[in-house]
Amino acid sequence: MMKYVYSFNEGDQSMKGLLGGKGANLAEMTRIGLPVPPGFTVTTETCNEYYTKGEKLWPELETEIFQQLAYIEEVTGKKFGDHHRPLLVSVRSGAVVSMPGMMDTILNLGLNDASVIGMAAATKNERFAYDSYRRFIQMFGDVVLGIEKYKFDTLLEKRKLDKGIEQDTDLTTEDLQYLVEAFQKIVLRESKMSFPQDVRVQLLMSVEAVFKSWNNPRANVYRKLNDIPKSLGTAVNIQSMVFGNMGETSGTGVAFTRNPSTGEKLLYGEFLMNAQGEDVVAGIRTPRVIQELGDKMPEVYQEFVDVADLLEAHYKDMQDIEFTIENSKLYLLQTRNGKRTAAAAINIAVEMVGEGVLTKKEAIMRVKPSQLDQLLHPTFDEKALNVATLITKGLPASSGAATGQVYFNGEDVVRINSAGGKAILVRQETSPEDIEGMVASQGILTARGGMTSHAAVVARGMGKCCIAGAGEVRIDEGQKYFKVGNQRYEEGQWISLDGNIGNVYEGKVPTKEPKLIGNFGVLMEWADQFRQLKIRANADTPRDTRQAIKFGAEGIGLCRTEHMFFEGTRINTVRKMIVANNIKDRQRALDQLLPMQKADFIEIFKEMGDRPVTVRLLDPPLHEFLPHGDEDIKELAQALEMTYQSLKEVVSDLKEFNPMLGHRGCRLAVTYPEIYEMQVKAIIEAAIEVKEQHGYNIVPEIMIPLIGEIKELQYIKNVIIKVIDGVIEEKNADLKYLIGTMIEVPRAAITADEIAEEAEFFSFGTNDLTQMTYGFSRDDAGRFISEYREKNILDHDPFQRIDRRGVGRLMEIAVELGRKVKPELKIGICGEHGGDPDSIDLCQELGLDYVSCSPYRVPIARLAAAQSVIKNKDQSKE
Amino acid sequence: MMKYVYSFNEGDQSMKGLLGGKGANLAEMTRIGLPVPPGFTVTTETCNEYYTKGEKLWPELETEIFQQLAYIEEVTGKKFGDHHRPLLVSVRSGAVVSMPGMMDTILNLGLNDASVIGMAAATKNERFAYDSYRRFIQMFGDVVLGIEKYKFDTLLEKRKLDKGIEQDTDLTTEDLQYLVEAFQKIVLRESKMSFPQDVRVQLLMSVEAVFKSWNNPRANVYRKLNDIPKSLGTAVNIQSMVFGNMGETSGTGVAFTRNPSTGEKLLYGEFLMNAQGEDVVAGIRTPRVIQELGDKMPEVYQEFVDVADLLEAHYKDMQDIEFTIENSKLYLLQTRNGKRTAAAAINIAVEMVGEGVLTKKEAIMRVKPSQLDQLLHPTFDEKALNVATLITKGLPASSGAATGQVYFNGEDVVRINSAGGKAILVRQETSPEDIEGMVASQGILTARGGMTSHAAVVARGMGKCCIAGAGEVRIDEGQKYFKVGNQRYEEGQWISLDGNIGNVYEGKVPTKEPKLIGNFGVLMEWADQFRQLKIRANADTPRDTRQAIKFGAEGIGLCRTEHMFFEGTRINTVRKMIVANNIKDRQRALDQLLPMQKADFIEIFKEMGDRPVTVRLLDPPLHEFLPHGDEDIKELAQALEMTYQSLKEVVSDLKEFNPMLGHRGCRLAVTYPEIYEMQVKAIIEAAIEVKEQHGYNIVPEIMIPLIGEIKELQYIKNVIIKVIDGVIEEKNADLKYLIGTMIEVPRAAITADEIAEEAEFFSFGTNDLTQMTYGFSRDDAGRFISEYREKNILDHDPFQRIDRRGVGRLMEIAVELGRKVKPELKIGICGEHGGDPDSIDLCQELGLDYVSCSPYRVPIARLAAAQSVIKNKDQSKE
C-alpha cells in the first residue's frame, strides 16, 4: 500500500521527489540534529492521487495524517484542539521545485474559540493568544476560503483609527478579541459557512487547499513558463508552531549564506523581533539587517551563524534559511539552495571551486544554462517594472528587454530608426520581407506564431527581444492600430517588451544593459574541457558570424542564404528572378545576384577562417519574396516594368494553401535548378578566393534542405556537382567540399539509410521535423499549444524542447540508419532546439557530432553540453 | 559480364522483364515451333545502361548485335548490305508493358543504293525493291531523324497527281526510283546529313532511336498516367523481314482471338493483300475482315485459325496476333494478350472459366481492378472525342465524363441546375462550403490540389467526374473567367471533362451512360470468396450509404460529420456556433444542431443495419465553415445579427498560415469540448433509437481524428465517455460502442503502442499521413508532383498509391506497436488509398482488417483485395 505521510524523522534530502524541496530539507536538518520543530510531510504522490480520485481526500490518508499528528502531540506534550495546552501547527506547500503562485503558508492552525483560552493560559499571554487567533482566521479565510484579504485588513485599520493607534502591536487584547469575533462574521458572510471550530476540519481543509493551489491558474502559468511538469505534484508540510511573536526575546528572519545578487561571501538577510514570518514578508514593519541580531542576542546570532556555515558546507551550496526565535531559542523552519542571479550563480560556483568546496564538474552543474541569457541581453529596471501596466502576455520568443514606439511595418520602423527614434515592430507574423524592419527595431511583437516562427528564429539570431504568439493582440495593419480586448493602441504609442517572460507593458520602461563578468569566461572554459559536442552557430551575415565567434562558436552549422536576398537593393533583383517567365530572364537576374552572394560568402569565410561553415541553399517558398498588398504590387510592377495585372497573376499563382508543405526547399531546385547552380557557384568561388588569399583550410559544407526522397538528392547533387567541379577546374583550384542534407521531413528520417548513401553529412532541422511529426504549424500552433500546456496534454512546447518520444525517436532512427551505411557520418542539429539544454542532452545521448544554435545561445549550449556529459557519466557510474 | 542481346532461340515467355513483351512472345512462339522469321532482342537492361552511360552506344553492345545478325545471315542465306541477296530486317521497340507514344517500327532496314539493286535482282521484282526502299527512307527519316512525315507524303501525292493516278500501287518503278532520290534529298536538307548508305549505321541509329523514344514526352506522360516506372526500360527487336507486299499471294493482317470490345468468342481482325503492316494501320486502303481470308487463301486461313486457337490455349488468354503472308507462306510477327474493354475483360474471364480454360482464381487475376471504373461511370463517345479541341490537362481526380457550362461558384451552379441547366464548377480549389455546388454540378475542375485535395475526395465520394490540379488554368473567380495561356473562357461557356485521363475539352462532347453487365456480379462474387480484407466505404450521407451497399460495402469505414454541417440551412447554425464568443451562445447553437445530426445518423444506421459504422468527429478547421469574401461576410453578419467588423475579426482571427497543420481535428475538441459532446450525443441517441426500433445490432465506432499524442486521446475520451454513458444510462439502454482513433499524424504511428492503450481501433488516414510524412500539402503539391514524375524523382503520386518505403513503413511500425499492446486491435484504412489496388496489396501484407474507400471504388477494392490474396499465396508457394 502507498505510504502517504512521512515524519521529518523518516526522510532525508535525497527524497525531494517524494517530499518536495521543503519537506526533504526539514527532514535532512532534523537528521543532522539541527533544532527543527517536529512535523511531517504529506507526499507529492498523494497530491497526484488527490487529482486522480476526483479532488477528494480519502479515509486512509486522513488516518495517516492524524497518526503523525498524535506523534507530534507526544513529543511536544501538547494536544491538537486542546482547551489547556493546545498544539498549533503550520501548513505549508512544498513542491519539488519552489513555485510562486501556489498557496504558501497557514500559521497558528489549531486555534478555535476554546483552545485560544487554553493557549492564553498556558503561555500566560492572553494578548499573544488572541493575536495569533485573529491572524489565523484571516489567513485561513484568505487562502483556504478565498476571501479577499483586504476585507480583513480594512476592519483592522478601522479599529486602529477608532482607537487612535498606529502599530498593530498597540492593539489591546480586547481589540484583538473584537477582531476575532468580527473576522468570524466576515467568514460567515463571504463563504456562507461558519469558521470551522473543529480543528481536524481546519487541518484537512488546509491540506486540500494546498493540493488545489497546485492547479490554480497562476501556478499553471508559472509551470508553463518554467517547463515544470504538472505531474510532479506538491507535498504538504505540517509542523508544530514555534512563535516569533511571543515578546521581545522572540523573533523571526530569513538569510542567505551569500549575497544572492552578486555572490559575495557574506551572510545576507533580515529579521524582525516579536513577529511572525508573514510580518517580514508583508513589509508593514521594516526589518533589520541580519548582522544587527548580533547586537541584540549575541549567542543566538552566533548559533545562527554557525548553523548557516554548517548548512552551506553540508549542502555545498549557498543556502536560503528561515528561522524563528522563541523565547531566546533558535528554531530552523526551512533551508534551501538560494535563488540567485546569473552573475551570482557564476561567481559562487567559480569561487566555491577556489574554496575547495566544489570540483570543477560540480561548479559546472551549478549554473542553469538558460540563466545565462540574463548576462547577454538587456533587462528591465525592476523598480520601474513594478509600476508598469501589463497589456498582455505572449511567448518569450527571444530574450531581452526593449522599449519603443509601436509601428506596423518594416518601412516605418526603418524610417523612425533613421530619424533617431526607437520603434517596436508589431506584426501578425513576420516574413523575410520584414528583415530590415526587424534589424532597425528595438524589439518585435507578433500576434501569431510560436517559438520557432519566423519572428522568433530571426530575432534570436539577432539577439533581439521578441514576444511571439501574443494571442490576445488583434492587429489591423492597414489602419495601423492593435487592440487587446477593447483597448486600442495606435501607431507611435510607447510600449515595452520583456522577452524573458513574454510580458508586454504600456509606456516606456527603462532598461539596463548587460555586463559580462570575469568568472563567466572561467566557467565557459571549464565547460569546454568537459563537453564532447561541438558547438556551432546559426549565422547568416558577417555580423552574426562575428558575434558567434565572440561567444565561442566553433563553426557555422546553418548559414541561411535567403536572408542575404533581402539586404539593401538586392530584393528587386531577386524579384526579377522570380517573375521571370523564361529561363533566359531568370538567368540574367541570377547573374546579377551571383556577385552579391559571393561577396557575402567571402566575408563569412574570412571571419570563420579554418572553422567549418555549412551553407543551406535556398529554402523558403518564392512568394515570401514578393509583396502581397495591392499598393505594393503596383509599386513593384512599375519598378520591374511589368503590368500590375501580370505581376498580380504571378503573386496569386505562387500563393499556396499550406506554404510550409509547399513548393520550397529542394523542390524549388527541381523546378529551377539554375538557382542552386548560382548559389553553389558563389560559395565555391568565394571559398577558392579566400583560401588562396588567406591560406585558410576551407571545406565548404553545402546543405540541401527538405530532402524527403533519395532521388531528390541525387537529382540536385548531379546538377550542382557539375557546376562545382566546373568552377574548381576552371580556377585550377584545390578545394574539397561536402554535400549533405537536412533531415527535417519525417520520410527522410525513415529512409535515412538510403539518403546516407548520397549525403556526406546530416543536419537535423528539428523545427520542421517537429512541425511535420506533430502536424503542428509553427506559425499557427502558438495558441493551442498554450492550451495544451494548461490542460496538461503537453508537458513542454515541442518547438522549445525536442519531443523525445516522437521527434526524438525519429532522430534516433535516422542516426541508426545513417550510421549503419556510413559509420563515420557527421551528424548535427541546426534547428532552434540546438540552444535548448534538454535537447542538447538528447543530442549527446544520440551521439551527434555538433549542435548549432543562434549566436546568443552559444554560451548556453557550451554549458549545457558540458553538463550533459557530466550527468551521463554520473548516471553511468551509478 | 552482362549479356545485352538474346536470340529468339534463347528466350521464352517468362523473360518478359528482360526481353520486353514482344521479344518474349517472339521467343516463345519460336520455342513452340510456330513460323517466326529469325531475329533477336536487345534487352531492357541495355536500355537502362544506355541512359546510365550518358546516351551513347558502346563497343561490347555493338559486337553482340552484329554477332546475332551474322546468325540470321547464316539461317536465311542472305547478307546484310549485300549487293546480291541483301538481308533486310525490321527494328521494333518492345517495352515490358506496351506503350503508345514510343517509336514503334522501322521496316526494310538494310536497303541502300546498292543493295536495292541486289534485292530487285534476287526477287525478280524491281518495283517491289524500290517501293521497299522508298518506304524505308521515309520511315527512317521520320522516326530516326525526326523529319515530319508529311514532307515525304506531299512529294508522293504530287507525283501521283502529276501522273494522274490514284493508288500508290499504280506508281511505276521509275516513279519509285524518282521518289527514292527525292526522299534522300529531303533527308539531306532537313537533317543536314546524307541518308546513311552504311547499313550498320542504319541499324545502330535505329536501335538508339528506340532507346531515345523511351524518354520522349509522350511516353513520359503515358507512363505517368499508367503508373509505369521509368526504370523498366524498353527492349529492341531486330528481325529478318518477310514481305507482305510481294504481290497478290502476299499480305499482312492483325486479329484478336475474341472480340476485344464485347469479349465474344469469335476471331476479330482484318487483313490487306499485297501490303506491309503500316498500310493496315495507315488506313489508306480499306482492309477486309479476317474471315474473308478464308475465301482468298483457304489453306493459309485455316493455318492461321489453328495457330490462333493454339496461341489462345497456350497463353490461356485472348491474343492479339500480327501476321504476314509471303508468297502464300504464313509468318507470325507478334502475339500478345489483347487489350480489351472492361466489359470484354470480365466476359472473357468469366467465360473462360466456363470453358474450363481458367480457374476462378486465374479469372480474378485477369481483370485489372482500375478498369472497372469504365463500367461505373459515364464515358465520352469516342468519335465525338476525336474531333474535340483539348484545352488543357489536369489530374484525373475522379472518374467519369461530364459536359456543362462553366460557373465559378457554388450558388451559380445551384441556380443553373435548378433551372434545368448543366454546369461545371470551376474553382481554384473547393472547400466544404462548395458542397452544394458540387452536388448540383455535372463535374468539377480545379486549378490547384492533388489527388486527395478536397475536390478530389468529395467528388470521388459522389461518383462525380473531377479534374484537379490543372496547373495551366488561371482562374479569376471575381471577374468570372479562366485563362489557359492567352485563351479566355467566360462564365456560361461549354466545356467537357474526361475524369478518367484528366483532359479538358472545349464545347459539348456527348457522353454515354455506363451499363453493368451480368458477368460483373459473377466476378465480384468470386472475388468475395477469396479476399480476406473487409471492404468498407467512406460515406457521409444516407445517399452515399445506399450507393455503398449497392456496390457491396460491408460497413462504413469513414463517415465524415462535417459534410452534414453544410446541408440546407444548417450552415448558419454551425456559423452561429463558431462565432459565439462564450460557451452559452455556443451551447445554444449546438443544441440546435443536435437534432439535425441525430436525424442524419438515424438515416445512416437504418440503411446500414447490422453493418459497422465508423463516425469521425469534426475534423476541419473552423474557418472552412465561414465565408471569406467581404460581400459574403457582410451578408452573413446581417444574418447572424452582428456587425461586419466583429465578424470580420472572427474570420481573420481563425485564418491560419498552414491550416492543414493548424487548429483542427481533436485540437478543436480540446478547445471546444462541447462540439464533440454534441456529436457523440447525436450518434449514441440515434444508435439507441434505431437499435430499439429495428433490432439491429448497432455498435457505433466513434473515431477521433488527428491524434498525435496519447494525452489528447485521454483528454477527449474522458469528455465524451461521460456524455455517452450519461445518455445510455438516461435512456436505460443496452448499447456497446467503440472509441478509436485515426493514425494520420507521423507521431501517432511512432507512439502507436501508447495510443493502443486507449484506442479500441486504429484507422489509417493515409492522406494526412502522406502529407506529413513527405511534407507535401495535398492542395499545393499537384504541380510539383507532376514535375517529380516527369523527372523520375517519384515513380508514383504518393497521394494515389501508398509510398511503401516511407508512409508504408510508418504504417508497419504502427501496426507492430499497436498489436504488441493489443494483439486483436482492429486496424483499417480510410484514406483515399483504400481504393487503390497497389495500396490494398500493402494493407493485405500488413495484416489490416479492412480497407474503406469511396462507394464507387468498392468494386475495385473487392477485386483488388481478392487479387492480393491470390498473388501473395502464389508467391509464398514459390
Side-chain angles (χ1 to χ4, degrees), chain A residues 448 474 652 655 657-658 660-661 667 670 712 747 753-754 773-775 777 780 788 791 803 805, chain B residues 448 652 655 657-658 660-661 667 670 712 747 753-754 773-775 777 780 788 791 803 805:
Chain A
R448 300 284 178 87
R474 288 221 173 128
S652 89
K655 219 172 146 195
F657 292 96
N658 298 285
M660 195 54 74
L661 306 177
R667 299 163 196 173
V670 172
E712 288 175 316
R747 195 174 186 282
D753 44 352
E754 290 180 356
T773 304
Y774 268 102
S777 157
D780 302 306
Y788 269 39
K791 294 191 170 168
D803 153 48
R805 189 72 184 76
Chain B
R448 300 283 178 90
S652 90
K655 218 172 145 193
F657 292 96
N658 297 286
M660 195 54 72
L661 306 176
R667 299 165 195 171
V670 171
E712 290 176 315
R747 196 174 186 281
D753 44 351
E754 290 180 356
T773 304
Y774 267 101
S777 157
D780 301 306
Y788 270 39
K791 293 189 169 168
D803 152 49
R805 190 67 185 80

Side-chain angles (χ1 to χ4, degrees), chain A residues 428-429 448-449 471 473-476 481 483 645-646 649-650 652-664 666-673 706 708-709 711-712 715 745-748 750-754 771-781 783-784 787-788 791-795 803-807 809-810 813 817, chain B residues 428-429 448-449 471 473-476 481 483 645-646 649-650 652-664 666-673 706 708-709 711-712 715 745-748 750-754 771-781 783-784 787-788 791-795 803-807 809-810 813 817:
Chain A
Q428 283 291 85
E429 164 54 330
R448 300 284 178 87
V473 173
R474 288 221 173 128
I475 302 173
D476 190 324
Y481 69 88
K483 271 164 85 176
Q645 190 55 35
S646 56
E649 271 179 15
V650 174
S652 89
D653 214 40
L654 287 175
K655 219 172 146 195
E656 293 179 305
F657 292 96
N658 298 285
M660 195 54 74
L661 306 177
H663 200 198
R664 51 177 282 245
C666 64
R667 299 163 196 173
L668 286 175
V670 172
T671 312
Y672 311 111
L706 217 67
E709 154 64 48
K711 287 190 198 156
E712 288 175 316
Y715 184 88
V745 171
R747 195 174 186 282
I750 291 175
T751 62
D753 44 352
E754 290 180 356
Q771 293 198 86
M772 294 178 207
T773 304
Y774 268 102
F776 285 173
S777 157
R778 65 177 198 181
D779 294 327
D780 302 306
R783 287 196 234 181
F784 65 78
E787 205 164 346
Y788 269 39
K791 294 191 170 168
N792 205 16
I793 292 173
L794 288 177
D795 279 343
D803 153 48
R804 286 175 174 245
R805 189 72 184 76
V807 176
R809 175 69 186 127
L810 279 177
I813 290 173
L817 292 177
Chain B
Q428 284 289 89
E429 163 55 328
R448 300 283 178 90
V473 173
R474 290 221 170 126
I475 301 174
D476 190 324
Y481 69 87
K483 272 165 83 177
Q645 191 55 36
S646 55
E649 272 180 14
V650 173
S652 90
D653 214 41
L654 287 176
K655 218 172 145 193
E656 294 179 305
F657 292 96
N658 297 286
M660 195 54 72
L661 306 176
H663 199 198
R664 52 177 282 242
C666 65
R667 299 165 195 171
L668 286 176
V670 171
T671 311
Y672 311 111
L706 217 68
E709 154 65 49
K711 288 190 197 157
E712 290 176 315
Y715 184 89
V745 172
R747 196 174 186 281
I750 292 174
T751 63
D753 44 351
E754 290 180 356
Q771 291 196 84
M772 297 179 206
T773 304
Y774 267 101
F776 284 173
S777 157
R778 65 176 197 180
D779 295 325
D780 301 306
R783 288 195 234 182
F784 64 78
E787 205 163 347
Y788 270 39
K791 293 189 169 168
N792 206 17
I793 292 172
L794 288 177
D795 279 343
D803 152 49
R804 288 176 172 242
R805 190 67 185 80
V807 176
R809 175 70 187 128
L810 279 176
I813 289 173
L817 292 176

Side-chain angles (χ1 to χ4, degrees), chain A residues 223-468:
Chain A
R223 268 198 296 275
K224 208 168 62 176
L225 282 177
N226 291 277
D227 267 341
I228 302 170
K230 195 169 175 188
S231 58
L232 287 181
T234 182
V236 189
N237 298 294
I238 293 147
Q239 186 174 27
S240 169
M241 286 291 300
V242 287
F243 297 96
N245 55 346
M246 278 185 82
E248 285 310 314
T249 58
S250 299
T252 187
V254 294
F256 292 85
T257 57
R258 306 194 183 209
N259 185 315
S261 107
T262 65
E264 192 192 1
K265 190 175 180 181
L266 192 67
L267 212 50
Y268 180 93
E270 49 194 22
F271 72 102
L272 268 177
M273 298 309 288
N274 196 16
Q276 281 197 328
E278 48 164 351
D279 300 322
V280 182
V281 180
I284 300 165
R285 291 157 57 197
T286 307
R288 325 284 288 267
V289 300
I290 190 75
Q291 279 75 9
E292 285 182 32
L293 183 61
D295 307 333
K296 280 200 186 280
M297 307 182 83
E299 280 168 33
V300 173
Y301 179 65
Q302 190 51 49
E303 189 186 351
F304 180 73
V305 170
D306 293 346
V307 165
D309 284 351
L310 186 145
L311 283 172
E312 191 180 278
H314 185 73
Y315 284 101
K316 290 177 153 192
D317 201 356
M318 185 260 266
Q319 294 297 295
D320 170 2
I321 304 168
E322 288 180 26
F323 64 93
T324 283
I325 304 164
E326 187 185 75
N327 292 329
S328 303
K329 173 152 175 45
L330 176 69
Y331 288 98
L332 295 169
L333 298 184
Q334 169 153 310
T335 192
R336 56 183 169 185
N337 296 338
K339 282 200 193 295
R340 64 205 78 178
T341 62
I346 291 172
N347 284 334
I348 292 172
V350 172
E351 282 167 19
M352 278 188 163
V353 173
E355 292 161 22
V357 177
L358 296 182
T359 63
K360 281 184 194 174
K361 265 194 206 178
E362 287 168 331
I364 289 169
M365 297 306 290
R366 279 298 159 74
V367 179
K368 212 177 149 187
S370 60
Q371 238 188 342
L372 299 184
D373 254 352
Q374 280 178 28
L375 298 177
L376 309 174
H377 298 282
T379 47
F380 279 129
D381 182 293
E382 271 178 38
K383 279 174 209 144
L385 211 54
N386 283 336
V387 297
T389 307
L390 184 72
I391 299 176
T392 190
K393 277 171 122 3
L395 297 171
S398 179
S399 301
T403 190
Q405 291 172 278
V406 167
Y407 285 92
F408 295 92
N409 64 58
E411 288 115 68
D412 288 342
V413 170
V414 170
R415 181 171 48 77
I416 295 302
N417 186 56
S418 314
K422 291 182 167 194
I424 302 278
L425 177 62
V426 180
R427 302 280 289 169
Q428 283 291 85
E429 164 54 330
T430 62
S431 72
E433 54 171 330
D434 296 316
I435 294 273
E436 283 194 274
M438 296 174 78
V439 171
S441 75
Q442 302 299 309
I444 298 128
L445 169 63
T446 70
R448 300 284 178 87
M451 295 295 292
T452 61
S453 61
H454 179 267
V457 172
V458 173
R460 278 200 294 276
M462 297 174 176
K464 186 156 299 220
C465 168
C466 172
I467 296 176

Side-chain angles (χ1 to χ4, degrees), chain A residues 42 57 65 91 202-211 236 238:
Chain A
V42 184
L57 301 183
I65 287 175
V91 177
Q202 288 173 3
L203 180 59
L204 295 177
M205 283 180 78
S206 301
V207 169
E208 228 183 316
V210 173
F211 286 160
V236 189
I238 293 147

